[in-house]
Amino acid sequence: MTGAPFQPGEEFAVAMDARDPLAHFRTRFYFPQTKTGDECIYLCGHSLGLQPKNASAYLDEQLRNWAELGVDGHFHGKTPWIKYHRLLAHQTATLVGAGPVEVVVMNSLTVNLHLMMASFYRPTKERHKILIENGAFPSDQYAVNSQIRFHGFEPPSSLLELAPRAGESCVRDEDIETLIEREGDSIALILLGGVNYATGQAFDMEGITKAGRRKGCVVGFDLAHAAGNIPLRLHEWGPDFAVWCSYKYLNGGPGCVGGCFVHERHARAWNLPRLAGWWAHEDETRFKMGPDFRPMAGAEGWQLGNPPILALAPLLASMEIFSEAGLERLRSKSVSLTGYMEFLLGQQPSPKFSIITPREPGRRGAQLSIRLPGTGRELFDRLAARGVVGDWREPDIFRIAPVPLYNSYQDVYRFVQRFSAAL
Ligand SMILES: Cc1ncc(COP(=O)(O)O)c(C=O)c1O
């Protein structure tokens, strides 16, 4: 479907939906409704993915196990809780291009980020800086600043921020490499988003990892906006770690458990300092309750406590849908759907808005960020009142994401109609 020559009329959207091999997945999700009972135009999967209809069955199964088995549910029943998180290992690994030993589903993104930095941010007098995006997601900024201070350094001298050139919204790939080349010897950790939350820019993670490792830096990625959105080959690219959340493109539900990748080369790095908890202990001997901590090999060795089964159940439901749809097909539709939205918006040029997301499909995922200076917020509120669900990021960014798993070409068409009318 990639590269279809787009056409402006509604017939085109209808025809594209009719021949979309993924179109039927839409019926597997609940769409919120307007007050008048119409389906919303939901373009907010970059913030909270929709609820898969099979989520309640997965959840009910675990509630039933709890009711019927009580504590025995840990070791008995069809899906014993002791190993429940492992049901997600294979699909999660496939999703991020990793081996099962390299991934684990646990905690929230920010907690995982701290756990990773506890092991991988080891600043010295010569090499103490953390490189992040200028205007990185606030939680990352707070986490990074607190880690810098925790190690006795100060953000003004230890925080290095990557900014776009004056007058530009996105960072140029070559500027990232130049910065790493110039400052690399003092950088302890490069921590960038896979996809920037505000602009929707996808970074060249392979190039960044190569450049960073060449200079001896640890490389980590925040994949909150990348997981389930763009193709990832973490094992091959070789960053040291990555973290993500599961409530956006992965549809795991509000506050769902996040994910964590630790490259295989660290799987048995027992000398790395880490914050320990009993769920990371070798599972054969965990219940001997001994005093010595013997972590499992791989990402599971960074777990802390036992996982929240009731939060994992909807994620398992969603991952099964993901596996059925297949990442390659999803990406192909995503490139087409986002390109279509960009095309339609381009048919309505106006000085009142501009798209700040990169134009090249390889430098973005599903999200388009529309800059609406001045009265943009009012326009956003008007659209929201008419059943368009996107989100607003201060001071002037309207983010929308046509998600290939459940959005249609007609959603995109209707959105652009309403957007133009509201302008
Ligand atoms: C880029 C990015 N990083 C971090 C977070 C924080 O995630 P959590 O609240 O799950 O720790 C978010 C949440 O939306 C995010 O978008």
Side-chain angles (χ1 to χ4, degrees):
M1 298 180 76
T2 321
F6 303 120
Q7 290 163 24
E10 188 170 11
E11 333 63 78
F12 177 80
V14 173
M16 288 299 277
D17 284 333
R19 63 193 175 93
D20 171 10
L22 302 178
H24 60 101
F25 283 103
R26 180 184 180 87
T27 62
R28 311 261 299 263
F29 291 86
Y30 290 109
F31 277 73
Q33 300 198 335
T34 63
K35 283 190 193 121
T36 52
D38 297 320
E39 222 171 58
C40 288
I41 301 178
Y42 195 86
L43 298 168
C44 213
H46 58 280
S47 182
L48 184 73
L50 290 180
Q51 182 185 143
K53 289 182 181 167
N54 59 345
S56 48
Y58 278 69
L59 193 52
D60 283 349
E61 185 188 4
Q62 297 316 319
L63 287 171
R64 220 172 25 249
N65 285 347
W66 180 20
E68 291 170 4
L69 301 170
V71 70
D72 285 345
H74 282 106
F75 296 98
H76 298 284
K78 247 175 50 206
T79 50
W81 301 325
I82 196 88
K83 291 192 289 206
Y84 194 82
H85 66 284
R86 291 206 181 127
L87 299 175
L88 285 153
H90 179 72
Q91 286 153 342
T92 304
T94 306
L95 189 83
V96 298
V101 76
E102 293 177 307
V103 297
V104 65
V105 173
M106 60 180 189
N107 312 314
S108 69
L109 186 157
T110 310
V111 173
N112 291 337
L113 188 53
H114 274 300
L115 292 177
M116 290 296 100
M117 287 197 281
S119 290
F120 293 105
Y121 176 52
R122 313 296 307 156
T124 61
K125 235 169 69 210
E126 295 73 35
R127 193 188 273 279
H128 53 91
K129 293 183 185 164
I130 303 184
L131 173 64
I132 64 168
E133 298 139 274
N134 174 259
F137 191 82
S139 201
D140 295 28
Q141 295 184 44
Y142 307 152
V144 156
N145 283 333
S146 65
Q147 286 277 342
I148 288 173
R149 291 198 186 96
F150 187 76
H151 287 279
F153 293 86
E154 284 302 323
S157 50
S158 294
L159 190 70
L160 196 56
E161 291 184 276
L162 183 67
R165 293 187 189 185
E168 297 183 7
S169 303
C170 295
V171 183
R172 298 193 194 189
D173 287 341
E174 70 262 29
D175 288 357
I176 306 180
E177 296 218 2
T178 307
L179 182 68
I180 294 174
E181 190 53 40
R182 195 180 66 227
E183 302 275 349
D185 293 338
S186 64
I187 298 175
L189 169 65
I190 296 171
L191 178 71
L192 298 175
V195 173
N196 179 277
Y197 88 98
T199 65
Q201 174 181 9
F203 287 104
D204 170 13
M205 288 177 259
E206 185 176 14
I208 291 167
T209 305
K210 248 192 219 137
R213 297 199 66 216
R214 210 168 34 233
K215 295 296 278 184
C217 317
V218 168
V219 181
F221 290 110
D222 173 344
L223 302 178
H225 291 263
N229 180 18
I230 59 171
L232 298 166
R233 298 202 306 278
L234 293 183
H235 177 78
E236 186 188 321
W237 296 340
D240 296 280
F241 70 86
V243 291
W244 59 93
C245 53
S246 305
Y247 42 78
K248 300 179 188 293
Y249 294 97
L250 299 183
N251 314 310
C256 185
V257 185
C260 186
F261 162 90
V262 179
H263 197 277
E264 197 178 14
R265 65 178 173 275
H266 302 302
R268 289 179 174 74
W270 312 125
N271 54 340
L272 267 178
R274 64 179 88 191
L275 299 179
W278 75 314
W279 222 253
H281 194 278
E282 281 176 355
D283 44 1
E284 312 85 64
T285 51
R286 183 188 295 141
F287 285 91
K288 298 241 187 273
M289 305 304 212
D292 296 327
F293 176 58
R294 303 234 312 261
M296 281 183 271
E300 280 191 291
W302 270 268
Q303 295 172 99
L304 294 178
N306 73 102
I309 302 302
L310 301 184
L312 288 177
L315 181 59
L316 191 55
S318 168
M319 293 299 274
E320 306 230 343
I321 301 180
F322 249 91
S323 299
E324 264 182 69
L327 277 176
E328 248 175 64
R329 291 200 301 169
L330 285 168
R331 175 60 176 168
S332 169
K333 177 176 171 186
S334 179
V335 168
S336 172
L337 207 54
T338 305
Y340 177 54
M341 183 181 271
E342 184 182 38
F343 165 80
L344 288 182
L345 287 167
Q347 302 283 302
Q348 321 280 343
S350 159
K352 291 186 190 157
F353 80 91
S354 59
I355 298 173
I356 60 169
T357 308
R359 297 258 121 136
E360 307 89 322
R363 295 182 67 220
R364 68 184 184 200
Q367 175 185 327
L368 287 185
S369 296
I370 302 177
R371 176 160 280 151
L372 285 158
T375 55
R377 176 77 213 203
E378 284 165 36
L379 180 138
F380 169 77
D381 290 339
R382 262 202 312 280
L383 282 173
R386 299 203 53 210
V388 173
V389 186
D391 68 10
W392 182 257
R393 286 291 171 265
E394 294 298 340
D396 57 8
I397 296 177
F398 179 31
R399 302 188 306 172
I400 33 168
V403 171
L405 195 51
Y406 50 70
N407 282 126
S408 65
Y409 287 82
Q410 286 170 83
D411 284 339
V412 171
Y413 180 82
R414 288 186 199 125
F415 162 72
V416 178
Q417 290 293 105
R418 288 186 199 184
F419 179 77
S420 311
L423 264 187

